[in-house]
Amino acid sequence: MDYVVAEGVTNEAVFEARNVIKKRTRFHVSQMQGELESFMTAIEKAGGHPDGPIVYSLNNVPEDGIMDVEFLLPLQEEYLEVEGMRFSTYFEINNVLMVSLDHGYEELTKEAYARLLWTLEQNDQELNTPFYHILQTEGAGRVTVLIGYAYW
């Protein structure tokens, strides 16, 4: 099937990661940087070593400023125990639409969401996941926003 996609949107079969440590939490949007740092520090103190970019899912519409977020990080270790976190050997999202942003992430996030949702609508597909944000650990400020959709 040929897809109609918004500018900058790409269609991938799968997004996957192995040996993933996860933490789901709620906080005010102004605390995002501190929460990310706390997540990474706890993993490092437990002996964990990143094996890919930090990913987080936004599981609500933070109209009151409170975000419901799940942080995910692929690790080199085959298992790691960290208080308040869960470990999964595998993480996968099928039927993925994504768009990357090089700068102005906070300002362009709504535009990225709109492009992804427009693409779903144009192709008569349904959103199947929350919005995931991939934060590159190398390079300056590149963020990829992705979603999974129900393939009919």
Side-chain angles (χ1 to χ4, degrees):
M1 174 180 179
D2 290 327
Y3 286 95
V4 176
V5 296
E7 180 181 347
V9 173
T10 59
N11 186 345
E12 301 292 333
V14 66
F15 173 79
E16 62 187 4
R18 298 185 195 289
N19 301 328
V20 177
I21 192 93
K22 306 175 188 181
K23 180 182 180 184
R24 186 145 180 190
T25 186
R26 293 175 58 88
F27 53 85
H28 190 270
V29 66
S30 64
Q31 300 170 308
M32 179 63 155
Q33 188 61 38
E35 291 290 332
L36 270 170
E37 289 171 7
S38 175
F39 176 69
M40 292 301 294
T41 299
I43 293 167
E44 289 170 9
K45 283 184 178 179
H49 299 89
D51 194 27
I54 301 167
V55 178
Y56 74 90
S57 62
L58 180 58
N59 301 298
N60 70 329
V61 177
E63 293 174 0
D64 56 358
I66 302 299
M67 299 172 68
D68 179 358
V69 168
E70 185 170 36
F71 295 113
L72 304 99
L73 181 68
L75 298 175
Q76 293 174 8
E77 292 73 26
E78 291 184 12
Y79 180 76
L80 185 69
E81 193 166 320
V82 182
E83 185 177 340
M85 298 186 196
R86 294 176 304 138
F87 187 88
S88 297
T89 57
Y90 201 73
F91 176 78
E92 178 180 275
I93 303 170
N94 292 298
N95 304 316
V96 175
L97 293 175
M98 64 179 65
V99 62
S100 293
L101 310 169
D102 287 322
H103 61 282
Y105 168 69
E106 291 180 11
E107 297 79 30
L108 294 177
T109 300
K110 288 181 183 177
E111 175 67 21
Y113 290 178
R115 289 180 188 188
L116 292 167
L117 293 173
W118 181 89
T119 300
L120 286 179
E121 183 178 303
Q122 295 303 306
N123 295 287
D124 197 29
Q125 301 293 333
E126 293 181 15
L127 183 64
N128 200 31
T129 68
F131 287 92
Y132 286 90
H133 303 78
I134 304 170
L135 308 176
Q136 298 302 323
T137 53
E138 297 177 10
R142 185 167 182 80
V143 176
T144 300
V145 179
L146 65 88
I147 56 174
Y149 60 91
Y151 184 78
W152 304 103

